[in-house]
Amino acid sequence: MQPNKTNRWFAYVLMLCSMYLLTMKAHAEESKQEPVLLRYDLGQQGGWIPYQQSAQRGRLGIFEEVTILIQELTGIEFEAVHFPPKRAEKALLDGLVDFDFVCLEWLKEGRSPAQFAYSNPIFNVSEYVVTLPKNVAAVPDLSAIYDKPVGTIAGYFYVDDDQFTRMDFLNEESLLLGLKHERFTSIIIEKETARYWANLLDIDISFAAAHTHGSIIIRLRDDKREWMPIINQAIETIKESGQLASLLEKHGVKAEIPATLQSK
């Protein structure tokens, strides 16, 4: 091989090696990027047991355990922050948190596709109008609370709260105590949460009328929408594997786990 051809050959090989090294460097830099971090609100101490907080001191609530299972499957990191209920929705809209756990049946506006991506259903929850046993006959159906004062939680969503007068309390514990002391005839509260506080506070209650039934989902800000497909995959995996059912059973929650629906 003549010298000038040899030189051109080596130059070509060096160019290929340089391109390979640059490509490997780019991949290495990509692997060093910060992992995906999504923040969500878990409310204040004692709020929405056993979902936001555990019924047992020192243990995680259901939502936090669900995020851990999703993280194990997706590599997405989750960070819980704590806002009072009145600030939680604004924190989501302002981008201080990336998602929340919500039931669409609570919301007057339902879905807002331009603002949020919505996950597959995770598990079902039920809200009830709850009374003292002596007052249960006064609430034969939901319409019986309309135009009357009803015990509620400040900052919580109630789809029909234009039909009754809200009597807002700070949390579920104070709400049940208000019912016990007959500040009002009825309250609206999620079934498992009502059972927990009634048992702890030794209050006899009756589930007078169903208020809402629906599924807990993840409502993710639109600017994080790209992560919803793998979140949905993880949700379906923990449902099909039995991990979600075991988690709920551990917390003493008897909730229906709905069948797979098309991803939103």
Side-chain angles (χ1 to χ4, degrees), residues 10-69:
F10 279 116
Y12 178 68
V13 170
L14 285 173
M15 182 184 70
L16 290 178
C17 290
S18 297
M19 291 175 63
Y20 175 76
L21 290 173
L22 287 172
T23 302
M24 293 301 294
K25 182 179 179 181
H27 285 304
E29 290 299 324
E30 288 179 1
S31 67
K32 291 178 182 178
Q33 289 179 357
E34 291 295 319
V36 178
L37 175 65
L38 299 179
R39 293 182 173 87
Y40 66 104
D41 175 55
L42 273 184
Q44 294 184 307
Q45 184 64 35
W48 203 18
I49 292 172
Y51 303 103
Q52 288 183 334
Q53 313 289 328
S54 174
Q56 297 185 22
R57 187 180 298 273
R59 286 180 53 179
L60 303 179
I62 290 172
F63 291 159
E64 196 163 4
E65 291 206 57
V66 166
T67 63
I68 289 172
L69 292 176

Tab-separated table of all heavy atoms in Angstrom, residues 10-69:
chain	number	residue	atom	x	y	z
A	10	PHE	N	-5.652	5.264	7.771
A	10	PHE	CA	-5.576	5.511	9.219
A	10	PHE	C	-6.464	6.689	9.628
A	10	PHE	O	-7.082	6.684	10.687
A	10	PHE	CB	-4.122	5.738	9.640
A	10	PHE	CG	-3.344	4.480	9.818
A	10	PHE	CD1	-2.260	4.207	9.001
A	10	PHE	CD2	-3.699	3.552	10.798
A	10	PHE	CE1	-1.540	3.033	9.156
A	10	PHE	CE2	-2.960	2.384	10.953
A	10	PHE	CZ	-1.886	2.110	10.132
A	11	ALA	N	-6.520	7.693	8.788
A	11	ALA	CA	-7.368	8.849	9.098
A	11	ALA	C	-8.833	8.425	9.154
A	11	ALA	O	-9.608	8.874	10.017
A	11	ALA	CB	-7.172	9.947	8.055
A	12	TYR	N	-9.220	7.541	8.236
A	12	TYR	CA	-10.591	7.064	8.207
A	12	TYR	C	-10.918	6.259	9.470
A	12	TYR	O	-11.977	6.422	10.090
A	12	TYR	CB	-10.797	6.215	6.952
A	12	TYR	CG	-12.180	5.614	6.828
A	12	TYR	CD1	-13.289	6.428	6.595
A	12	TYR	CD2	-12.357	4.239	6.953
A	12	TYR	CE1	-14.555	5.875	6.486
A	12	TYR	CE2	-13.616	3.681	6.841
A	12	TYR	CZ	-14.714	4.501	6.612
A	12	TYR	OH	-15.957	3.951	6.502
A	13	VAL	N	-9.963	5.368	9.851
A	13	VAL	CA	-10.163	4.553	11.056
A	13	VAL	C	-10.250	5.438	12.290
A	13	VAL	O	-11.096	5.233	13.166
A	13	VAL	CB	-9.023	3.520	11.201
A	13	VAL	CG1	-9.094	2.836	12.562
A	13	VAL	CG2	-9.098	2.498	10.072
A	14	LEU	N	-9.398	6.440	12.378
A	14	LEU	CA	-9.432	7.359	13.526
A	14	LEU	C	-10.748	8.115	13.598
A	14	LEU	O	-11.298	8.351	14.672
A	14	LEU	CB	-8.257	8.342	13.427
A	14	LEU	CG	-6.875	7.785	13.765
A	14	LEU	CD1	-5.787	8.826	13.457
A	14	LEU	CD2	-6.806	7.395	15.242
A	15	MET	N	-11.269	8.485	12.405
A	15	MET	CA	-12.540	9.192	12.387
A	15	MET	C	-13.657	8.296	12.926
A	15	MET	O	-14.503	8.727	13.717
A	15	MET	CB	-12.866	9.636	10.962
A	15	MET	CG	-14.177	10.428	10.859
A	15	MET	SD	-14.600	10.826	9.134
A	15	MET	CE	-15.018	9.179	8.547
A	16	LEU	N	-13.668	7.027	12.499
A	16	LEU	CA	-14.690	6.101	12.980
A	16	LEU	C	-14.583	5.892	14.481
A	16	LEU	O	-15.591	5.859	15.201
A	16	LEU	CB	-14.565	4.759	12.257
A	16	LEU	CG	-14.958	4.737	10.773
A	16	LEU	CD1	-14.727	3.341	10.192
A	16	LEU	CD2	-16.420	5.140	10.601
A	17	CYS	N	-13.350	5.766	14.979
A	17	CYS	CA	-13.143	5.574	16.421
A	17	CYS	C	-13.619	6.790	17.199
A	17	CYS	O	-14.236	6.669	18.263
A	17	CYS	CB	-11.674	5.301	16.709
A	17	CYS	SG	-11.105	3.683	16.129
A	18	SER	N	-13.334	7.968	16.653
A	18	SER	CA	-13.758	9.197	17.324
A	18	SER	C	-15.272	9.289	17.385
A	18	SER	O	-15.857	9.664	18.411
A	18	SER	CB	-13.186	10.411	16.585
A	18	SER	OG	-11.783	10.409	16.626
A	19	MET	N	-15.930	8.937	16.269
A	19	MET	CA	-17.386	8.972	16.248
A	19	MET	C	-17.969	7.987	17.259
A	19	MET	O	-18.954	8.286	17.959
A	19	MET	CB	-17.896	8.645	14.836
A	19	MET	CG	-17.595	9.734	13.816
A	19	MET	SD	-18.069	9.254	12.124
A	19	MET	CE	-19.832	9.063	12.331
A	20	TYR	N	-17.368	6.800	17.358
A	20	TYR	CA	-17.842	5.790	18.311
A	20	TYR	C	-17.695	6.292	19.738
A	20	TYR	O	-18.617	6.168	20.552
A	20	TYR	CB	-17.056	4.493	18.110
A	20	TYR	CG	-17.397	3.420	19.121
A	20	TYR	CD1	-18.584	2.696	19.020
A	20	TYR	CD2	-16.537	3.146	20.179
A	20	TYR	CE1	-18.904	1.726	19.951
A	20	TYR	CE2	-16.840	2.173	21.114
A	20	TYR	CZ	-18.029	1.469	20.996
A	20	TYR	OH	-18.339	0.511	21.924
A	21	LEU	N	-16.531	6.893	20.024
A	21	LEU	CA	-16.285	7.391	21.383
A	21	LEU	C	-17.239	8.527	21.740
A	21	LEU	O	-17.729	8.612	22.863
A	21	LEU	CB	-14.834	7.855	21.515
A	21	LEU	CG	-13.786	6.744	21.505
A	21	LEU	CD1	-12.375	7.347	21.463
A	21	LEU	CD2	-13.939	5.845	22.729
A	22	LEU	N	-17.499	9.392	20.763
A	22	LEU	CA	-18.448	10.481	21.016
A	22	LEU	C	-19.850	9.947	21.279
A	22	LEU	O	-20.581	10.446	22.142
A	22	LEU	CB	-18.470	11.446	19.831
A	22	LEU	CG	-17.236	12.353	19.688
A	22	LEU	CD1	-17.292	13.109	18.367
A	22	LEU	CD2	-17.151	13.341	20.866
A	23	THR	N	-20.229	8.898	20.522
A	23	THR	CA	-21.542	8.287	20.730
A	23	THR	C	-21.631	7.660	22.110
A	23	THR	O	-22.628	7.818	22.830
A	23	THR	CB	-21.815	7.218	19.659
A	23	THR	OG1	-21.732	7.815	18.378
A	23	THR	CG2	-23.192	6.584	19.857
A	24	MET	N	-20.582	6.944	22.524
A	24	MET	CA	-20.569	6.321	23.842
A	24	MET	C	-20.613	7.373	24.947
A	24	MET	O	-21.271	7.196	25.971
A	24	MET	CB	-19.309	5.450	23.998
A	24	MET	CG	-19.298	4.232	23.087
A	24	MET	SD	-20.727	3.142	23.382
A	24	MET	CE	-20.354	2.586	25.063
A	25	LYS	N	-19.934	8.488	24.720
A	25	LYS	CA	-19.943	9.560	25.710
A	25	LYS	C	-21.342	10.138	25.857
A	25	LYS	O	-21.808	10.427	26.954
A	25	LYS	CB	-18.954	10.660	25.296
A	25	LYS	CG	-18.877	11.792	26.317
A	25	LYS	CD	-17.878	12.847	25.871
A	25	LYS	CE	-17.829	13.985	26.906
A	25	LYS	NZ	-16.896	15.044	26.490
A	26	ALA	N	-22.025	10.295	24.715
A	26	ALA	CA	-23.393	10.836	24.759
A	26	ALA	C	-24.311	9.915	25.539
A	26	ALA	O	-25.131	10.363	26.351
A	26	ALA	CB	-23.921	11.032	23.343
A	27	HIS	N	-24.179	8.593	25.302
A	27	HIS	CA	-24.994	7.643	26.056
A	27	HIS	C	-24.657	7.680	27.540
A	27	HIS	O	-25.540	7.575	28.399
A	27	HIS	CB	-24.789	6.228	25.513
A	27	HIS	CG	-25.479	5.973	24.217
A	27	HIS	ND1	-26.832	6.150	24.038
A	27	HIS	CD2	-24.997	5.552	23.011
A	27	HIS	CE1	-27.167	5.852	22.791
A	27	HIS	NE2	-26.063	5.494	22.145
A	28	ALA	N	-23.397	7.827	27.844
A	28	ALA	CA	-22.984	7.899	29.251
A	28	ALA	C	-23.554	9.140	29.925
A	28	ALA	O	-23.993	9.098	31.068
A	28	ALA	CB	-21.451	7.900	29.343
A	29	GLU	N	-23.561	10.256	29.193
A	29	GLU	CA	-24.111	11.484	29.760
A	29	GLU	C	-25.612	11.335	30.000
A	29	GLU	O	-26.146	11.809	30.995
A	29	GLU	CB	-23.846	12.657	28.805
A	29	GLU	CG	-22.383	13.068	28.733
A	29	GLU	CD	-21.848	13.540	30.077
A	29	GLU	OE1	-22.607	14.186	30.818
A	29	GLU	OE2	-20.687	13.229	30.382
A	30	GLU	N	-26.286	10.658	29.059
A	30	GLU	CA	-27.729	10.437	29.236
A	30	GLU	C	-28.001	9.603	30.477
A	30	GLU	O	-28.946	9.856	31.223
A	30	GLU	CB	-28.311	9.743	28.013
A	30	GLU	CG	-28.408	10.643	26.798
A	30	GLU	CD	-28.960	9.913	25.599
A	30	GLU	OE1	-29.289	8.717	25.729
A	30	GLU	OE2	-29.058	10.535	24.533
A	31	SER	N	-27.151	8.592	30.716
A	31	SER	CA	-27.365	7.724	31.875
A	31	SER	C	-27.107	8.439	33.187
A	31	SER	O	-27.558	8.007	34.236
A	31	SER	CB	-26.461	6.486	31.776
A	31	SER	OG	-25.089	6.863	31.911
A	32	LYS	N	-26.363	9.561	33.127
A	32	LYS	CA	-26.073	10.323	34.334
A	32	LYS	C	-27.139	11.370	34.631
A	32	LYS	O	-27.047	12.071	35.632
A	32	LYS	CB	-24.707	11.016	34.188
A	32	LYS	CG	-23.519	10.071	34.188
A	32	LYS	CD	-22.222	10.845	33.988
A	32	LYS	CE	-21.022	9.914	33.932
A	32	LYS	NZ	-19.761	10.652	33.692
A	33	GLN	N	-28.137	11.508	33.756
A	33	GLN	CA	-29.163	12.504	33.976
A	33	GLN	C	-29.949	12.190	35.246
A	33	GLN	O	-30.059	11.048	35.660
A	33	GLN	CB	-30.118	12.557	32.780
A	33	GLN	CG	-29.492	13.163	31.543
A	33	GLN	CD	-30.466	13.180	30.384
A	33	GLN	OE1	-31.577	12.680	30.502
A	33	GLN	NE2	-30.047	13.745	29.284
A	34	GLU	N	-30.484	13.239	35.851
A	34	GLU	CA	-31.269	13.066	37.068
A	34	GLU	C	-32.479	12.179	36.782
A	34	GLU	O	-33.116	12.299	35.738
A	34	GLU	CB	-31.735	14.421	37.574
A	34	GLU	CG	-30.628	15.317	38.112
A	34	GLU	CD	-29.974	14.737	39.353
A	34	GLU	OE1	-30.704	14.211	40.209
A	34	GLU	OE2	-28.744	14.797	39.462
A	35	PRO	N	-32.818	11.272	37.709
A	35	PRO	CA	-34.003	10.444	37.504
A	35	PRO	C	-35.268	11.294	37.529
A	35	PRO	O	-35.285	12.398	38.078
A	35	PRO	CB	-33.959	9.479	38.698
A	35	PRO	CG	-33.146	10.194	39.739
A	35	PRO	CD	-32.131	10.983	38.970
A	36	VAL	N	-36.326	10.773	36.929
A	36	VAL	CA	-37.605	11.471	36.927
A	36	VAL	C	-38.133	11.537	38.360
A	36	VAL	O	-38.150	10.536	39.080
A	36	VAL	CB	-38.621	10.747	36.030
A	36	VAL	CG1	-39.969	11.445	36.066
A	36	VAL	CG2	-38.088	10.668	34.622
A	37	LEU	N	-38.557	12.727	38.785
A	37	LEU	CA	-39.107	12.924	40.123
A	37	LEU	C	-40.483	13.548	40.001
A	37	LEU	O	-40.643	14.607	39.374
A	37	LEU	CB	-38.190	13.831	40.956
A	37	LEU	CG	-38.710	14.222	42.347
A	37	LEU	CD1	-38.820	12.991	43.239
A	37	LEU	CD2	-37.816	15.277	42.981
A	38	LEU	N	-41.482	12.910	40.580
A	38	LEU	CA	-42.840	13.427	40.602
A	38	LEU	C	-43.265	13.658	42.050
A	38	LEU	O	-43.141	12.759	42.884
A	38	LEU	CB	-43.808	12.458	39.920
A	38	LEU	CG	-43.548	12.149	38.432
A	38	LEU	CD1	-44.581	11.158	37.924
A	38	LEU	CD2	-43.557	13.426	37.597
A	39	ARG	N	-43.757	14.848	42.303
A	39	ARG	CA	-44.209	15.199	43.662
A	39	ARG	C	-45.728	15.102	43.755
A	39	ARG	O	-46.437	15.398	42.798
A	39	ARG	CB	-43.744	16.608	44.027
A	39	ARG	CG	-42.241	16.746	44.167
A	39	ARG	CD	-41.841	18.161	44.582
A	39	ARG	NE	-40.419	18.244	44.869
A	39	ARG	CZ	-39.495	18.491	43.951
A	39	ARG	NH1	-39.866	18.677	42.690
A	39	ARG	NH2	-38.219	18.537	44.281
A	40	TYR	N	-46.199	14.714	44.930
A	40	TYR	CA	-47.641	14.618	45.150
A	40	TYR	C	-47.954	14.967	46.603
A	40	TYR	O	-47.080	14.915	47.474
A	40	TYR	CB	-48.155	13.211	44.811
A	40	TYR	CG	-47.648	12.113	45.733
A	40	TYR	CD1	-48.471	11.567	46.713
A	40	TYR	CD2	-46.348	11.627	45.626
A	40	TYR	CE1	-48.011	10.569	47.552
A	40	TYR	CE2	-45.870	10.635	46.456
A	40	TYR	CZ	-46.712	10.107	47.422
A	40	TYR	OH	-46.241	9.125	48.257
A	41	ASP	N	-49.203	15.318	46.840
A	41	ASP	CA	-49.613	15.787	48.166
A	41	ASP	C	-50.194	14.646	48.994
A	41	ASP	O	-50.999	13.862	48.506
A	41	ASP	CB	-50.660	16.900	48.024
A	41	ASP	CG	-51.215	17.332	49.368
A	41	ASP	OD1	-50.412	17.691	50.243
A	41	ASP	OD2	-52.447	17.307	49.534
A	42	LEU	N	-49.778	14.585	50.264
A	42	LEU	CA	-50.323	13.600	51.194
A	42	LEU	C	-51.076	14.249	52.346
A	42	LEU	O	-51.345	13.601	53.359
A	42	LEU	CB	-49.212	12.699	51.752
A	42	LEU	CG	-48.860	11.463	50.940
A	42	LEU	CD1	-47.825	10.626	51.669
A	42	LEU	CD2	-50.087	10.618	50.615
A	43	GLY	N	-51.414	15.519	52.202
A	43	GLY	CA	-52.226	16.161	53.227
A	43	GLY	C	-51.484	16.351	54.536
A	43	GLY	O	-50.265	16.198	54.631
A	44	GLN	N	-52.246	16.673	55.559
A	44	GLN	CA	-51.677	16.946	56.866
A	44	GLN	C	-51.823	15.740	57.791
A	44	GLN	O	-52.560	14.793	57.503
A	44	GLN	CB	-52.336	18.182	57.477
A	44	GLN	CG	-52.023	19.455	56.702
A	44	GLN	CD	-52.588	20.690	57.369
A	44	GLN	OE1	-53.767	20.762	57.673
A	44	GLN	NE2	-51.732	21.670	57.600
A	45	GLN	N	-51.119	15.789	58.908
A	45	GLN	CA	-51.129	14.696	59.867
A	45	GLN	C	-52.564	14.368	60.285
A	45	GLN	O	-53.338	15.241	60.633
A	45	GLN	CB	-50.313	15.078	61.102
A	45	GLN	CG	-50.184	13.976	62.135
A	45	GLN	CD	-49.421	12.775	61.594
A	45	GLN	OE1	-48.490	12.935	60.814
A	45	GLN	NE2	-49.803	11.582	62.004
A	46	GLY	N	-52.898	13.084	60.209
A	46	GLY	CA	-54.226	12.648	60.614
A	46	GLY	C	-55.274	12.772	59.534
A	46	GLY	O	-56.445	12.458	59.766
A	47	GLY	N	-54.876	13.210	58.337
A	47	GLY	CA	-55.837	13.420	57.267
A	47	GLY	C	-56.112	12.161	56.459
A	47	GLY	O	-55.202	11.402	56.152
A	48	TRP	N	-57.335	11.949	56.102
A	48	TRP	CA	-57.857	10.894	55.248
A	48	TRP	C	-57.199	9.530	55.490
A	48	TRP	O	-56.591	8.935	54.612
A	48	TRP	CB	-57.784	11.296	53.786
A	48	TRP	CG	-58.766	10.526	52.965
A	48	TRP	CD1	-59.858	9.844	53.434
A	48	TRP	CD2	-58.747	10.321	51.557
A	48	TRP	NE1	-60.532	9.247	52.406
A	48	TRP	CE2	-59.870	9.527	51.238
A	48	TRP	CE3	-57.915	10.750	50.545
A	48	TRP	CZ2	-60.158	9.142	49.941
A	48	TRP	CZ3	-58.206	10.366	49.254
A	48	TRP	CH2	-59.309	9.565	48.957
A	49	ILE	N	-57.332	9.061	56.700
A	49	ILE	CA	-56.877	7.719	57.070
A	49	ILE	C	-57.856	6.700	56.471
A	49	ILE	O	-59.063	6.904	56.511
A	49	ILE	CB	-56.842	7.592	58.612
A	49	ILE	CG1	-55.740	8.498	59.184
A	49	ILE	CG2	-56.641	6.154	59.059
A	49	ILE	CD1	-55.729	8.602	60.688
A	50	PRO	N	-57.373	5.578	55.900
A	50	PRO	CA	-55.998	5.077	55.819
A	50	PRO	C	-55.321	5.357	54.481
A	50	PRO	O	-54.347	4.695	54.137
A	50	PRO	CB	-56.215	3.579	55.985
A	50	PRO	CG	-57.503	3.322	55.240
A	50	PRO	CD	-58.355	4.542	55.479
A	51	TYR	N	-55.817	6.328	53.715
A	51	TYR	CA	-55.325	6.555	52.367
A	51	TYR	C	-54.099	7.477	52.347
A	51	TYR	O	-53.022	7.083	51.906
A	51	TYR	CB	-56.449	7.106	51.491
A	51	TYR	CG	-57.645	6.181	51.473
A	51	TYR	CD1	-58.776	6.464	52.224
A	51	TYR	CD2	-57.619	5.008	50.724
A	51	TYR	CE1	-59.867	5.603	52.221
A	51	TYR	CE2	-58.704	4.138	50.714
A	51	TYR	CZ	-59.830	4.444	51.467
A	51	TYR	OH	-60.895	3.586	51.471
A	52	GLN	N	-54.275	8.710	52.819
A	52	GLN	CA	-53.129	9.616	52.885
A	52	GLN	C	-52.201	9.268	54.051
A	52	GLN	O	-50.981	9.393	53.942
A	52	GLN	CB	-53.601	11.056	53.026
A	52	GLN	CG	-54.215	11.636	51.760
A	52	GLN	CD	-54.596	13.088	51.912
A	52	GLN	OE1	-54.860	13.573	53.021
A	52	GLN	NE2	-54.635	13.811	50.810
A	53	GLN	N	-52.771	8.863	55.151
A	53	GLN	CA	-52.014	8.505	56.344
A	53	GLN	C	-52.448	7.113	56.798
A	53	GLN	O	-53.591	6.718	56.583
A	53	GLN	CB	-52.267	9.510	57.483
A	53	GLN	CG	-52.175	10.965	57.088
A	53	GLN	CD	-50.755	11.409	56.795
A	53	GLN	OE1	-49.820	10.896	57.400
A	53	GLN	NE2	-50.584	12.357	55.891
A	54	SER	N	-51.548	6.401	57.463
A	54	SER	CA	-51.883	5.070	57.959
A	54	SER	C	-52.659	5.157	59.265
A	54	SER	O	-52.508	6.104	60.043
A	54	SER	CB	-50.606	4.257	58.184
A	54	SER	OG	-50.914	3.016	58.802
A	55	ALA	N	-53.461	4.144	59.498
A	55	ALA	CA	-54.164	4.053	60.780
A	55	ALA	C	-53.220	3.677	61.911
A	55	ALA	O	-53.551	3.854	63.080
A	55	ALA	CB	-55.297	3.029	60.678
A	56	GLN	N	-52.053	3.160	61.563
A	56	GLN	CA	-51.085	2.743	62.576
A	56	GLN	C	-49.868	3.665	62.544
A	56	GLN	O	-49.275	3.886	61.497
A	56	GLN	CB	-50.649	1.299	62.327
A	56	GLN	CG	-51.795	0.297	62.444
A	56	GLN	CD	-51.321	-1.132	62.309
A	56	GLN	OE1	-50.152	-1.435	62.533
A	56	GLN	NE2	-52.221	-2.030	61.913
A	57	ARG	N	-49.535	4.192	63.695
A	57	ARG	CA	-48.411	5.122	63.801
A	57	ARG	C	-47.127	4.492	63.283
A	57	ARG	O	-46.812	3.339	63.572
A	57	ARG	CB	-48.238	5.547	65.263
A	57	ARG	CG	-47.199	6.647	65.466
A	57	ARG	CD	-47.085	7.028	66.941
A	57	ARG	NE	-48.351	7.552	67.427
A	57	ARG	CZ	-48.697	8.830	67.322
A	57	ARG	NH1	-47.892	9.685	66.731
A	57	ARG	NH2	-49.868	9.230	67.810
A	58	GLY	N	-46.394	5.255	62.503
A	58	GLY	CA	-45.111	4.787	61.991
A	58	GLY	C	-45.198	4.008	60.694
A	58	GLY	O	-44.160	3.648	60.124
A	59	ARG	N	-46.423	3.742	60.200
A	59	ARG	CA	-46.574	3.026	58.932
A	59	ARG	C	-47.005	3.978	57.834
A	59	ARG	O	-47.536	5.057	58.098
A	59	ARG	CB	-47.594	1.894	59.082
A	59	ARG	CG	-47.067	0.710	59.862
A	59	ARG	CD	-48.113	-0.387	59.981
A	59	ARG	NE	-48.654	-0.787	58.685
A	59	ARG	CZ	-49.568	-1.753	58.543
A	59	ARG	NH1	-50.018	-2.394	59.601
A	59	ARG	NH2	-50.021	-2.063	57.342
A	60	LEU	N	-46.802	3.559	56.603
A	60	LEU	CA	-47.183	4.379	55.463
A	60	LEU	C	-48.662	4.175	55.138
A	60	LEU	O	-49.226	3.101	55.358
A	60	LEU	CB	-46.342	4.001	54.242
A	60	LEU	CG	-44.828	4.104	54.391
A	60	LEU	CD1	-44.152	3.669	53.098
A	60	LEU	CD2	-44.403	5.500	54.779
A	61	GLY	N	-49.287	5.221	54.597
A	61	GLY	CA	-50.655	5.108	54.128
A	61	GLY	C	-50.718	4.393	52.786
A	61	GLY	O	-49.690	4.089	52.155
A	62	ILE	N	-51.927	4.127	52.333
A	62	ILE	CA	-52.126	3.360	51.099
A	62	ILE	C	-51.521	4.059	49.897
A	62	ILE	O	-50.840	3.432	49.076
A	62	ILE	CB	-53.625	3.093	50.883
A	62	ILE	CG1	-54.135	2.102	51.929
A	62	ILE	CG2	-53.890	2.568	49.470
A	62	ILE	CD1	-55.637	1.909	51.920
A	63	PHE	N	-51.743	5.362	49.756
A	63	PHE	CA	-51.238	6.070	48.578
A	63	PHE	C	-49.713	6.007	48.498
A	63	PHE	O	-49.146	5.799	47.420
A	63	PHE	CB	-51.687	7.525	48.596
A	63	PHE	CG	-53.158	7.722	48.380
A	63	PHE	CD1	-53.783	8.888	48.786
A	63	PHE	CD2	-53.922	6.739	47.771
A	63	PHE	CE1	-55.143	9.077	48.586
A	63	PHE	CE2	-55.293	6.913	47.567
A	63	PHE	CZ	-55.905	8.093	47.984
A	64	GLU	N	-49.045	6.192	49.629
A	64	GLU	CA	-47.582	6.160	49.616
A	64	GLU	C	-47.074	4.770	49.264
A	64	GLU	O	-46.078	4.621	48.539
A	64	GLU	CB	-47.036	6.617	50.972
A	64	GLU	CG	-45.574	6.984	50.927
A	64	GLU	CD	-45.125	7.813	52.114
A	64	GLU	OE1	-45.942	8.056	53.044
A	64	GLU	OE2	-43.951	8.228	52.125
A	65	GLU	N	-47.745	3.739	49.749
A	65	GLU	CA	-47.336	2.381	49.401
A	65	GLU	C	-47.576	2.089	47.916
A	65	GLU	O	-46.790	1.377	47.279
A	65	GLU	CB	-48.081	1.374	50.269
A	65	GLU	CG	-47.649	1.426	51.739
A	65	GLU	CD	-47.874	0.109	52.443
A	65	GLU	OE1	-47.331	-0.915	51.968
A	65	GLU	OE2	-48.589	0.110	53.464
A	66	VAL	N	-48.644	2.638	47.356
A	66	VAL	CA	-48.900	2.471	45.925
A	66	VAL	C	-47.776	3.116	45.108
A	66	VAL	O	-47.292	2.531	44.131
A	66	VAL	CB	-50.268	3.060	45.533
A	66	VAL	CG1	-50.393	3.196	44.011
A	66	VAL	CG2	-51.396	2.186	46.063
A	67	THR	N	-47.341	4.312	45.501
A	67	THR	CA	-46.269	4.967	44.752
A	67	THR	C	-44.961	4.180	44.834
A	67	THR	O	-44.193	4.151	43.875
A	67	THR	CB	-46.031	6.412	45.234
A	67	THR	OG1	-45.603	6.412	46.600
A	67	THR	CG2	-47.276	7.256	45.091
A	68	ILE	N	-44.722	3.529	45.956
A	68	ILE	CA	-43.507	2.715	46.087
A	68	ILE	C	-43.552	1.542	45.111
A	68	ILE	O	-42.557	1.223	44.444
A	68	ILE	CB	-43.342	2.222	47.539
A	68	ILE	CG1	-42.955	3.392	48.446
A	68	ILE	CG2	-42.272	1.120	47.621
A	68	ILE	CD1	-42.943	3.056	49.914
A	69	LEU	N	-44.713	0.893	45.007
A	69	LEU	CA	-44.856	-0.219	44.054
A	69	LEU	C	-44.662	0.259	42.615
A	69	LEU	O	-44.018	-0.419	41.810
A	69	LEU	CB	-46.229	-0.875	44.221
A	69	LEU	CG	-46.474	-1.627	45.532
A	69	LEU	CD1	-47.915	-2.141	45.581
A	69	LEU	CD2	-45.492	-2.783	45.691
